[in-house]
Structures are given as C-alpha cells and as structure tokens.
Amino acid sequence: IQNTIGVTWTQGVMGLALDMAGQSGNLATATHNSSLEINNALTLAAWVRPAELGNRTVISKADGNGFELWLVSNGQIEFRLNRGNNGTAYKLRSNYSYSQDVGEWIHVAATFDGNTSKIFINGNEDTSASYAPFNIGTSAGDLVIGAIGTVQRFK
C-alpha cells in the first residue's frame, strides 16, 4: 500500500476490508512482472463500497494498454481493454447505476474470454459485447488496486 495515512481496516462483506480514504497515494501496487502478463482471458472481481459518485478505479494494469475496471461519475461501471492503442473500441459500460447504492457494498466483476467482455453486478450479468479476437496488452505497467496509475483513487 502506498501511503497508509488515512487507510484503515473496516468490516467488509466477508471479513475485513481496506477503507481507502481517497488521499494522495492511497492505493496498492504490484510491480510488473511476467506473471501479470494476462493477454487472452481474465476475470476481475471485487467487493466495493463507494463513498460518493466519482471516477474511481477498482483495479487497473494499464500502461498505455491493459485493463481497467472503474466506477464512472455518472453511476456506471466501466471495463476497458487496451485504451492506449484502441481508445474506446473495447470499452464496456454497465446498464446498472451505482448511484442508488452509494455507501452500500456492491460486488462488481468483469470478464474477457478472448472476444467477449461482460460486466456482472451482484452476481448477475448486466451487459456484454463481442469483438473480433484480440490480445490484452499487459506486457508493461504495474497492477494497481484503488487507482489508475496514481489518479482516480478509490474513496
């Protein structure tokens, strides 16, 4: 965890959870290595409890390309692959809005199987999109929990 000031343990859905205050540097990183080069299929899942509407990243590995799962300020949840080379081509946003669930625990998950992306909310499939087969560009960049790089810190 980078900068533990204001980060506390709190009761989670199952056991304890980190309360990320959204301060500068409140995020966790795993330095890039080859074991994190997941290029053709992945699942991301987390219990989150947003404190407010805002652009807040759950998890990312996006040094130009890679993957991002985040909460958008309009209430949607976004799963995006390969932003650097492909912009919005592999962007998927939920139909669900977390605006009615601010302060509540929400289970968010996103999957990619090589050509289909899906978002799940509280165990139910919310939306999906299919593409021609492609690889996720995860050959660089750290894995970051609670931010994308050092911005969009989770609160």
Side-chain angles (χ1 to χ4, degrees):
I1 298 175
Q2 310 296 312
N3 183 7
T4 59
I5 296 171
V7 175
T8 59
W9 289 101
T10 188
Q11 186 60 46
V13 175
M14 298 183 305
L16 295 176
L18 282 177
D19 187 347
M20 306 288 271
Q23 308 282 336
S24 176
N26 285 163
L27 52 103
T29 60
T31 303
H32 172 75
N33 69 46
S34 61
S35 69
L36 297 173
E37 293 179 13
I38 304 164
N39 62 14
N40 58 7
L42 79 130
T43 298
L44 306 172
W47 283 100
V48 297
R49 187 174 64 183
E52 62 191 16
L53 285 173
N55 291 336
R56 307 291 184 205
T57 302
V58 177
I59 188 167
S60 66
K61 187 172 189 331
D63 186 15
N65 282 306
F67 55 82
E68 309 163 18
L69 179 62
W70 52 292
L71 282 59
V72 184
S73 61
N74 70 358
Q76 291 179 296
I77 295 171
E78 180 174 307
F79 177 48
R80 188 184 304 210
L81 302 168
N82 294 353
R83 176 197 301 251
N85 287 345
N86 302 104
T88 61
Y90 305 120
K91 176 175 98 172
L92 182 62
R93 284 197 172 174
S94 67
N95 296 308
Y96 161 84
S97 174
Y98 71 92
S99 59
Q100 72 269 8
D101 293 323
V102 168
E104 302 296 325
W105 285 103
I106 307 161
H107 189 267
V108 297
T111 64
F112 176 68
D113 67 5
N115 59 303
T116 301
S117 291
K118 296 180 181 183
I119 295 176
F120 296 84
I121 308 296
N122 294 323
N124 298 308
E125 183 177 331
D126 178 79
T127 191
S128 66
S130 294
Y131 317 100
F134 69 94
N135 285 331
I136 306 167
T138 57
S139 61
D142 296 338
L143 177 73
V144 182
I145 299 170
I148 183 167
T150 58
V151 298
Q152 291 187 191
R153 288 180 294 278
F154 203 88
K155 187 172 185 181

